[in-house]
Amino acid sequence: MKIRCFLLVLVLAAPAAWSDIAPPQGPSGRAELWLLVTSWPSLEELSPSADGRFDSVGFGVGGALYLTVRESATSDLLIGIDGFIAANDSNIRGVFDDLLARQLYLGAAAKWAFGEERGFSLDAGIGYYLADMAEVGDAWSSYEREVWETDRIGGYVGATWDLPAASLGSPGRWMLGVKAYFADFGTVNGPWPIGPDAGKLDGPLYALQIGYGVR
């Protein structure tokens, strides 16, 4: 519900902000590459049959590509795609190794950028989530035993800040971003060490992005 309300506010507010809009003069856009630090409280709260817990904090990498579709004197609207892969460790011992919780996201993205340098933006998106849990062997790099997997359609809301450039007009900026991803993966169940009912896994998954954006 929160993400729907946020997207509705963007849609209703956009016409007023773009009263003097014009299509961009020639192709323009933005590319981003970032490292992620994630926090997923719902993952840590799972109770598998085996002893142990998943770490609530995970790490990953991601990126985005945008095209500018509308420009005004005070803001720009960019539309594109973004995605990430991330993983959380655990001390849940399986048959051969500890479980790893992995996530993948890929979807459509919108960025509403403000300021003279368009250095702050409100972000929203909707896309495909895949989550699984598996033993990935260290001794045999090709060994993998998956014990649970599911996918969902979900969305996110967030914001991005570009850090000051070394010189005015620099095409690239270091950036910080925060996002809250929402998807309901339902009840987690599977073979040992997960068990028949480890609990419910849903959002939000929080992500801190530290990266570089080029426009």
Side-chain angles (χ1 to χ4, degrees):
M1 180 62 70
K2 291 181 179 179
I3 187 171
R4 292 178 181 175
C5 291
F6 182 86
L7 293 174
L8 181 60
V9 169
L10 287 182
V11 170
L12 294 178
W18 304 333
S19 57
D20 55 348
I21 58 174
Q25 300 300 312
S28 64
R30 178 183 174 101
E32 297 175 354
L33 182 64
W34 9 271
L35 300 176
L36 289 94
V37 180
T38 65
S39 176
W40 199 354
S42 180
L43 180 66
E44 186 182 32
E45 293 170 2
L46 293 178
S47 299
S49 295
D51 292 334
R53 289 288 187 273
F54 285 101
D55 296 342
S56 65
V57 175
F59 301 92
V61 295
L65 289 172
Y66 297 93
L67 288 177
T68 304
V69 295
R70 287 291 184 269
E71 294 178 343
S72 78
T74 58
S75 64
D76 293 347
L77 177 65
L78 297 88
I79 300 294
I81 59 172
D82 67 354
F84 72 83
I85 55 174
N88 297 64
D89 286 326
S90 80
N91 61 353
I92 304 168
R93 189 68 181 180
V95 178
F96 295 104
D97 212 325
D98 291 343
L99 285 184
L100 190 67
R102 303 177 293 189
Q103 309 98 49
L104 177 148
Y105 171 80
L106 182 64
K111 182 180 289 288
W112 192 4
F114 301 89
E116 182 179 354
E117 292 295 310
R118 303 300 188 260
F120 170 76
S121 69
L122 297 177
D123 307 322
I126 186 168
Y128 170 79
Y129 290 89
L130 175 68
D132 75 358
M133 299 172 184
E135 297 177 54
V136 180
D138 293 329
W140 305 280
S141 59
S142 61
Y143 173 77
E144 179 176 314
R145 175 178 175 255
E146 186 177 275
V147 296
W148 177 83
E149 177 184 289
T150 192
D151 55 3
R152 292 290 190 273
I153 299 297
Y156 71 81
V157 294
T160 302
W161 295 264
D162 289 345
L163 303 182
S167 62
L168 188 64
S170 171
R173 301 286 179 90
W174 292 102
M175 52 161 283
L176 293 175
V178 290
K179 288 187 172 68
Y181 292 86
F182 299 89
D184 187 348
F185 294 102
T187 300
V188 176
N189 54 71
W192 179 268
I194 292 298
D197 186 359
K200 182 179 175 61
L201 185 61
D202 57 13
L205 180 154
Y206 302 103
L208 171 66
Q209 302 171 337
I210 305 170
Y212 197 73
V214 177
R215 54 190 175 190

